[in-house]
Amino acid sequence: MNATLSPARRYADLGYYVHARSVFSEDLIRRAVEGMDALRERRYEAGTSPEESYWNPGDDPNKLCKIEMPQFANRAIFELVSHPALGRLAAEVTGAKMVQAWWVQLLYKPPTADDRTHGTNVGWHQDRQYWDAWTPESELFTAWVALSDVTADAGPMLFVPGSHRWGFRGEGDFFGQDIDAQQRGIRVPDGEEWSEVPAILPPGGVSFHHHLTFHASGPNHSTGPRRSFAIHLRTENSQPVNGARNGLARYIDDPERCPILYAAR
Ligand SMILES: O=C(O)CCC(=O)C(=O)O
């Protein structure tokens, strides 16, 4: 793909866009890293705790740490998740008139020294599989913000270019650990091909992916943790099923929890 194409064109063609430059100040990245460490130790400064999570303080430190709605419990994380620069970039990439963060996950992938995954892999999936609170036509996507240097050996996200055009397959499993075996079980439509592109990002860099783009990530063989936030976003072209505030759409009327990052004037 021609590197001179616009972010919006790359996102539309590939189903993802990798912005390999920091969107945030070094100071905010440092404070958000501190906030991440505080949440891993159950230190909540913003008055409320995160939502019920896959990983809780005291759990196995070698497993993938996934904490839901971390912005409820830490001000620096809220500042990062609601940052206008991220909103402007998200609007540029998708053409949105409005961008809201409706669900957020803290993801901390510890390094693994041997060949076992220790439960740190993220299996192939399309996000749509987990987002049944939203109508199928809803325009939903993710900004994945790196807080550490996400090098090729740090278990970067892998994207399958063009897979956002394959339709909803329901064949993924976020928690699948044998990602190669899992990939062999995913049917590739006639005329399409499976390829995997790693999203290499510096601290503060961000990738955007469409809710139907297949993605996964392998073990972190670097020396430090791979740190990130998956900020799930919606545009003005999105509707909860039956207008209900259920499941992952339950907080969208509260900008203190689900901030609006961008609104066109
Ligand atoms: O952090 C990862 O490796 C995967 C994250 C993910 O599945 C997502 O952001 O949708």
Side-chain angles (χ1 to χ4, degrees):
M1 160 123 354
N2 185 339
T4 60
L5 292 178
S6 70
R9 180 66 195 279
R10 293 170 75 80
Y11 176 78
D13 287 354
L14 300 171
Y16 65 90
Y17 166 65
V18 179
H19 186 84
R21 293 186 300 284
S22 181
V23 176
F24 308 98
S25 68
E26 282 181 22
D27 176 61
L28 179 55
I29 295 169
R30 181 188 53 73
R31 287 185 289 118
V33 166
E34 284 171 9
M36 189 178 260
D37 288 342
L39 264 53
R40 281 171 54 77
E41 294 167 8
R42 209 186 290 277
R43 286 188 281 119
Y44 305 143
E45 69 167 8
T48 46
S49 49
E51 288 290 281
E52 193 179 320
S53 297
Y54 168 73
W55 190 96
N56 296 285
D59 284 355
D60 184 351
N62 295 315
K63 256 179 49 175
L64 179 74
C65 165
K66 179 168 172 283
I67 297 178
E68 310 294 321
M69 298 301 234
Q71 78 278 17
F72 289 7
N74 183 272
R75 290 187 194 86
I77 295 177
F78 186 89
E79 189 180 331
L80 183 137
V81 163
S82 57
H83 205 288
L86 182 63
R88 281 193 297 275
L89 184 59
E92 180 189 342
V93 167
T94 58
K97 296 193 178 70
M98 187 286 294
V99 178
Q100 182 183 27
W102 56 273
W103 199 265
V104 181
Q105 292 162 332
L106 176 162
L107 293 160
Y108 177 106
K109 192 193 280 271
T112 49
D114 55 31
D115 284 340
R116 294 174 35 228
T117 77
H118 300 277
T120 63
N121 284 358
V122 173
W124 291 107
H125 67 282
Q126 296 169 302
D127 290 334
R128 177 71 229 181
Q129 187 171 343
Y130 300 101
W131 292 356
D132 54 8
W134 296 95
T135 60
E137 309 74 38
S138 287
E139 193 175 8
L140 306 171
F141 62 112
T142 295
W144 193 95
V145 175
L147 286 197
S148 59
D149 212 358
V150 181
T151 50
D153 63 350
M157 265 213 291
L158 304 169
F159 292 121
V160 178
S163 54
H164 63 309
R165 287 193 294 267
W166 298 358
F168 175 59
R169 312 299 293 275
E171 292 172 322
D173 177 10
F174 182 99
F175 296 102
Q177 292 300 297
D178 189 344
I179 60 176
D180 293 336
Q182 205 194 358
Q183 185 266 312
R184 289 191 290 274
I186 296 172
R187 287 170 297 119
V188 176
D190 289 345
E192 299 288 341
E193 61 182 53
W194 182 280
S195 64
E196 300 171 10
V197 178
I200 307 302
L201 292 167
V206 54
S207 64
F208 294 91
H209 64 269
H210 185 278
H211 65 140
L212 291 177
T213 302
F214 271 104
H215 55 288
S217 65
N220 173 6
H221 289 309
S222 73
T223 50
R226 191 208 72 174
R227 297 174 182 265
S228 64
F229 293 105
I231 306 174
H232 302 310
L233 301 171
R234 72 179 189 121
T235 75
E236 69 281 6
N237 301 314
S238 58
Q239 280 300 324
V241 173
N242 298 326
R245 273 42 177 170
N246 286 333
L248 298 187
R250 61 187 178 272
Y251 294 122
I252 60 172
D253 296 321
D254 183 353
E256 301 293 314
R257 289 168 152 154
C258 294
I260 293 178
L261 281 62
Y262 179 83
R265 292 196 204 164

